[in-house]
Amino acid sequence: MAIMITLNTLQRRYLRGQAHHLHPVVMIGDAGLSDAVMREVDINLKSHELIKVRVFGDDRDHRIAIMEKICTELAAAPVQHIGKLLLIYRPAAKPKISLPK
């Protein structure tokens, strides 16, 4: 099991600004967090580093649990959870996004 990355407030704010123009690349529906969805999230994090995920469903606690599971299993960082959108970041081997310290 991987370990979730932690970001400081300045880094989170910077990433939120970078994500403003992004559209969700992964949609999570009634089937929930299947292996196929996790693979898709992993592939998108590898190529983009910063992604938006849309979670359908009205259960806020369920969306938080999905974000925590993605971040823990894929060694990513939760940036923001707003409404049904999750913003997730994981630096690539050669980072494209340089975070402030």
Side-chain angles (χ1 to χ4, degrees):
M1 182 182 274
I3 296 173
M4 190 184 312
I5 298 172
T6 55
L7 300 170
N8 66 36
T9 307
L10 185 64
Q11 291 167 332
R12 255 196 301 288
R13 185 180 314 135
Y14 176 77
L15 289 171
R16 283 196 309 265
Q18 295 294 307
H20 187 72
H21 70 282
L22 298 179
H23 297 286
V25 291
V26 178
M27 312 286 185
I28 301 174
D30 295 335
L33 211 49
S34 65
D35 289 341
V37 171
M38 287 296 280
R39 266 195 311 278
E40 200 60 33
V41 171
D42 189 39
I43 289 166
N44 279 286
L45 282 170
K46 281 179 185 164
S47 61
H48 302 295
E49 293 184 317
L50 183 64
I51 64 168
K52 281 185 181 175
V53 177
R54 180 172 301 279
V55 182
F56 295 103
D58 295 325
D59 186 356
R60 185 175 195 279
D61 293 332
H62 181 66
R63 290 193 301 269
I64 292 170
I66 286 175
M67 184 177 219
E68 287 175 355
K69 183 173 181 182
I70 289 171
C71 292
T72 302
E73 290 188 14
L74 299 179
V79 178
Q80 187 177 35
H81 166 226
I82 184 162
K84 295 182 181 187
L85 285 176
L86 310 177
L87 186 57
I88 299 171
Y89 169 76
R90 182 178 70 192
K94 292 183 180 177
K96 300 172 195 166
I97 300 171
S98 62
L99 292 178
K101 294 292 176 196

